[in-house]
Structures are given as C-alpha cells and as structure tokens.
C-alpha cells in the first residue's frame, strides 16, 4: 500500500470517473486503474463497483476512502511541520472564495499579500460554497472565504466582516428617484436572481421570500429572471429587465460618489442606481474557514491581517 494508491482512490471517489480522476492526478488512466486494482487485491475486497455508466463506492470502500484521506492529510502535515520549522509562511496558500466575493475582494487582497508576505503566494479557486466545503474536507484547498450560513463541517471559523445589501435599479426607473428602499417596495418589482447553487441567491430569497415561488416555475418567469454572475445580473438591471440586491462591496465607487460615467465600470454605474435600505439593512456575514488539522496557523493569521488591511467600504469589520 502506498500514498500514491491512496491518492488515486480518493480521486476516483471524488470524481466517480476513472478518466477524470487520472486527469486530476496527472497520470494515464491505465496507470491509475492498475494501481487501484493492485490495492484492491492487497486488501482482498472491492473499493469500487464498476459498470458501463458510473462508478460507485462500496460500503467498506467508503470507510477506506475516508481513512485514506486522513492518512494523506497526516502525510501532508509532516511536510508542513518540516517547512514550518524553517518559515511557517513559506510556500503557497491555497485559498477558495465564493463567486460573489472573489471579484470584489481579491484584487485588493492579492496586492496586500504580495506586499506583506511575498513568500506566500495565493493559489486561488472560485467556486460554490458546497464545492469549496468539499475541497476543504479533501485537503484540496487550505482555507476558504465564505458567507454564512453553511453546513457545520467541524471547520475552524474566523468572522471577517458583516456586509450590507443594497438594491440595484435601472437608472431610468421611478425607484431611482428614491434615496432609500424597503423590501415592501421591491415586492412589486421583477426580481433578478443568481442561478441555483449561489448562496447569495438564498440570501436574496431570505430578504424577499415571496420571490421563491417564482424562481422555480414557468408561470413566474415574468417576476423572476436568473443570471450566472452578479455582473451579468447588474447588466440586466442596466438594460431595464428588473431590479436586484447586491452586496455592498460589489457597488462601483463611482456610483456612490455621484460621478458615474458610462466609460467606467463597463457602463454599470451610469445605467444602474444603487439604493441603501431604510433602517437596519439585510446583511451577510463573511468568514474565513479552514480545517482544524491545518498546521500553518501563522499563514491563516497573516491572511486575516491582509484581509483586514483591504479597503472594505461600507462593511462592518469583525475581529
């Protein structure tokens, strides 16, 4: 039994496909298949059930894969301990970020990390919350910037900031004449939503739950449209297709300073008007999460410091 064989079975269990697992491990499919068959013969049991359409993990195989992942993490920890003795900040830090945070936080964050810890470059991965949680569990990334709530996976969590939402409306819409907005007013509008899988979609539906019934049926198509990214949604708002909610950091500075120009922000600030909510606005809590077994705590601390050093206009920083 070798660490390489354990790595292969974890990859197959994750991908449910030998070809994709081989590609992820940077080996040929025959090499991977032979190694797994050898391991199964050594253990005298089947880890995977193979058929023409899919790969399934046997009940005992599930236990073996979980133990294999633990062994791989412990083996990686040995290397990290050795590296830590020299410089705990040496080497890349694999950071995952959800789609509705990455474009607005990462440009500033990357600059801060380059200036503060150039020996610790960030390896970045944007994805959905559920996928990032799985990658954390499997050790494919070291930490992730997420928005609560998400399933309790026994991760270490450090709160970063509370971010309010703002409403985005077409610049020529009657609502654009208002200084503030309420959820009651939004109920009467066509709501533009992110597609299924985005946690920010769920946040919007928490603020405006009446749109949930429109988002999954054809009868509600006139009341709810979906887009693949926040920037796409904002362009749809600019085109007059409806209104939406956006996190504060995604709002162009020019739109808030009153000097909107169609040549800036891809025209967004010139054609979209952003309104704060009356009273206490709806917010989301953004956190940094990592495995409790991750040994480079100094790297996590430096990453948090770099995030706190970023310009985060309009959010409430947490410590």
């Amino acid at each position: 039994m070798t660490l390489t064989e354990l790595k292969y079975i974890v990859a197959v269990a994750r991908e449910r496909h030998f070809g994709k697992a081989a590609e992820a491990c940077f080996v040929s499919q025959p090499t991977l298949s032979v190694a797994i068959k050898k391991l199964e013969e050594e253990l005298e049991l089947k880890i995977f059930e193979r058929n023409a359409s899919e790969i399934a993990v046997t009940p005992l195989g599930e236990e073996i894969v979980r133990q294999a992942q633990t062994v791989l993490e412990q083996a990686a920890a040995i290397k990290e301990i050795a590296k830590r003795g020299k410089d705990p900040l040496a080497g890349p830090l694999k950071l995952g970020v959800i789609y509705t945070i990455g474009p607005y936080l990462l440009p500033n964050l990357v600059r801060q990390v380059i200036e503060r810890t150039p020996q610790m470059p960030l390896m970045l991965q944007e994805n959905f919350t559920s996928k990032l949680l799985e990658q954390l569990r499997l050790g494919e990334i070291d930490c992730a910037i997420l928005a609560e709530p998400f399933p309790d996976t026994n991760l270490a969590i450090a709160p970063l900031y509370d971010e309010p939402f703002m409403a985005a409306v077409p610049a020529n819409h009657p609502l654009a004449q208002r200084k503030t907005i309420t959820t009651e007013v939004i109920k009467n509008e066509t709501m533009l939503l992110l597609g299924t899988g985005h946690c920010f979609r769920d946040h919007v539906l928490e603020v405006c739950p009446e749109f949930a019934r429109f988002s999954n049926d054809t009868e509600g198509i006139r009341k709810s449209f979906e887009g693949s990214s926040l920037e796409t949604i904002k362009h749809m708002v600019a085109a007059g297709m409806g209104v939406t909610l956006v996190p504060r950091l995604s709002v162009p500075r020019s739109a808030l300073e009153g000097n909107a120009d169609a040549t800036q922000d891809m025209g967004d600030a010139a054609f979209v008007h952003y309104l704060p909510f009356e009273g206490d606005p709806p917010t989301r809590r953004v956190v940094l999460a990592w495995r409790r077994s991750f040994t480079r705590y100094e790297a996590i601390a430096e990453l948090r410091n770099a995030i706190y050093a970023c310009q985060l206009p309009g959010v409430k920083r947490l410590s």
Side-chain angles (χ1 to χ4, degrees):
M1 185 185 305
T2 66
L3 291 177
T4 299
E5 291 168 350
L6 299 184
K7 177 182 176 182
Y8 290 168
I9 65 171
V10 169
V12 173
R14 180 181 68 246
E15 301 292 345
R16 292 295 198 272
H17 190 279
F18 276 80
K20 292 179 181 178
E23 184 178 346
C25 295
F26 303 102
V27 296
S28 67
Q29 183 172 336
T31 297
L32 180 138
S33 297
V34 168
I36 291 179
K37 184 178 180 181
K38 174 178 172 291
L39 179 58
E40 289 179 325
E41 290 175 350
E42 179 181 345
L43 298 176
E44 297 182 349
L45 58 81
K46 290 291 185 182
I47 299 173
F48 302 105
E49 295 177 352
R50 304 158 174 84
N51 59 49
S53 59
E54 63 179 12
I55 301 295
V57 187
T58 65
L60 274 177
E62 291 279 4
E63 293 186 40
I64 291 171
V65 169
R66 283 196 296 270
Q67 185 62 36
Q69 180 59 45
T70 300
V71 171
L72 291 172
E73 287 186 12
Q74 292 173 342
I78 293 174
K79 295 181 180 179
E80 293 295 343
I81 291 170
K83 186 185 298 182
R84 191 176 180 182
K86 302 174 183 177
D87 182 356
L89 301 180
L93 184 69
K94 293 176 285 187
L95 171 65
V97 188
I98 58 174
Y99 291 115
T100 57
I101 291 178
Y104 316 111
L105 176 64
L106 288 180
N108 201 343
L109 177 58
V110 169
R111 286 193 293 270
Q112 291 291 340
V113 171
I114 290 173
E115 292 175 3
R116 302 166 71 91
T117 52
Q119 74 275 34
M120 187 185 76
L122 295 179
M123 296 180 63
L124 301 171
Q125 165 77 249
E126 274 191 304
N127 220 311
F128 297 114
T129 298
S130 58
K131 182 63 176 177
L132 293 177
L133 289 174
E134 179 186 4
Q135 290 177 324
L136 273 175
R137 180 177 64 83
L138 296 175
E140 296 177 358
I141 57 176
D142 300 321
C143 52
I145 299 174
L146 308 168
E148 291 184 329
F150 49 83
D152 181 9
T153 52
N154 199 32
L155 296 171
I157 303 292
L160 297 174
Y161 55 84
D162 287 340
E163 181 176 19
F165 303 160
M166 297 184 71
V169 305
N172 59 358
H173 193 286
L175 289 178
Q177 305 305 314
R178 299 173 61 104
K179 292 184 177 180
T180 60
I181 199 150
T182 65
T183 56
E184 290 298 320
V185 172
I186 294 177
K187 290 178 183 178
N188 300 318
E189 302 299 325
T190 298
M191 176 63 72
L192 306 179
L193 298 170
L194 286 170
T196 303
H198 289 277
C199 62
F200 192 72
R201 168 198 176 92
D202 300 327
H203 295 156
V204 173
L205 292 177
E206 286 179 11
V207 177
C208 305
E210 53 280 339
F211 287 102
R213 71 179 188 275
F214 295 122
S215 62
N216 293 317
D217 59 56
T218 55
E219 291 183 2
I221 199 108
R222 289 176 297 174
K223 291 290 291 181
S224 172
F225 294 87
E226 296 184 357
S228 59
S229 72
L230 271 181
E231 295 307 306
T232 298
I233 290 286
K234 286 157 70 174
H235 290 313
M236 292 167 69
V237 172
M241 295 185 64
V243 305
T244 195
L245 302 188
V246 297
R248 175 61 176 77
L249 292 182
S250 74
V251 178
R253 179 177 299 179
S254 59
L256 297 175
E257 294 175 348
N259 59 351
D261 187 335
T263 63
Q264 299 178 0
D265 307 307
M266 298 187 69
D268 171 55
F271 302 108
V272 180
H273 195 71
Y274 296 91
L275 298 169
F277 279 83
E278 290 183 10
D280 293 330
T283 63
R284 67 174 178 180
R285 174 156 294 184
V286 176
V287 303
L288 180 64
W290 65 95
R291 291 184 309 282
R292 296 183 185 277
S293 60
F294 187 58
T295 59
R296 295 174 63 192
Y297 181 75
E298 293 87 350
I300 296 294
E302 281 301 319
L303 178 63
R304 290 179 65 188
N305 291 336
I307 294 171
Y308 291 140
C310 291
Q311 296 179 3
L312 302 173
V315 309
K316 178 183 179 182
R317 298 169 188 263
L318 305 170
S319 59

